[in-house]
Amino acid sequence: MKEFLHRIFSCCMALLLLLSTTSWKVEKHYCMGRLMDFSLFSQVDDCGMDMDFGDNQDSVEQSEDSCCSDETISMQGQDDLLKGFDQIGTPQKVFLTAFIYSYISLLTEAETQNRPFDLYPPPLLTKDIHLVNEVFLI
């Protein structure tokens, strides 16, 4: 049960981090007060009812006389989460390099040492030590 809750909590934290660092953009296109198009992360399509007034009229008058309107809601994500190695202080650099070096050394295999006595057999026992010392395992 504990492992299951740990996995759920980890997934929720990863999702929260993803949602907080992503920039969101919601665009809506209204035509005559009705919602015609809705878009996430991209541009909305026009309904084709935008009127071209030509070059002689002002763009302010064009937006006042138009029956269509666009609404954009944007939320900027966090960009200051990543720090470069040159932005951290000297004690943190020393700790980080020591940690990485010790972690890498844990992952390498230990070299096998040559033991010269591996090739020689143990000496033969002439007496049974348990009987001589009168030590019996019960």
Side-chain angles (χ1 to χ4, degrees):
M1 182 69 177
K2 181 179 177 183
E3 183 178 324
F4 179 70
L5 290 175
H6 186 335
R7 286 185 184 181
I8 288 177
F9 184 70
S10 298
C11 290
C12 289
M13 291 299 287
L15 185 65
L16 180 68
L17 180 68
L18 177 69
L19 292 177
S20 68
T21 56
T22 305
S23 297
W24 294 88
K25 180 180 174 184
V26 178
E27 289 194 11
K28 299 176 188 176
H29 180 76
Y30 292 99
C31 187
M32 291 191 225
R34 293 181 54 210
L35 180 65
M36 297 304 286
D37 195 15
F38 174 81
S39 175
L40 290 172
F41 303 113
S42 64
Q43 295 281 11
V44 293
D45 295 331
D46 288 346
C47 62
M49 303 251 327
D50 287 336
M51 293 187 239
D52 288 334
F53 290 106
D55 294 334
N56 58 358
Q57 296 213 356
D58 207 16
S59 64
V60 175
E61 293 176 14
Q62 180 181 359
S63 64
E64 290 176 2
D65 294 339
S66 177
C67 66
C68 297
S69 64
D70 291 328
E71 182 181 336
T72 303
I73 302 169
S74 64
M75 184 179 82
Q76 191 66 23
Q78 295 178 354
D79 291 333
D80 58 347
L81 294 178
L82 297 176
K83 287 189 175 182
F85 193 70
D86 56 340
Q87 294 176 344
I88 60 175
T90 304
Q92 287 87 9
K93 286 181 185 178
V94 170
F95 173 75
L96 190 60
T97 53
F99 179 75
I100 290 172
Y101 179 74
S102 63
Y103 188 74
I104 289 174
S105 67
L106 285 175
L107 296 177
T108 58
E109 293 183 22
E111 296 177 13
T112 57
Q113 297 178 351
N114 263 346
R115 295 183 294 195
F117 55 85
D118 279 346
L119 301 176
Y120 302 106
L124 295 174
L125 294 176
T126 55
K127 298 178 187 175
D128 194 3
I129 297 175
H130 294 295
L131 289 176
V132 171
N133 295 330
E134 296 180 5
V135 176
F136 303 102
L137 297 175
I138 298 177

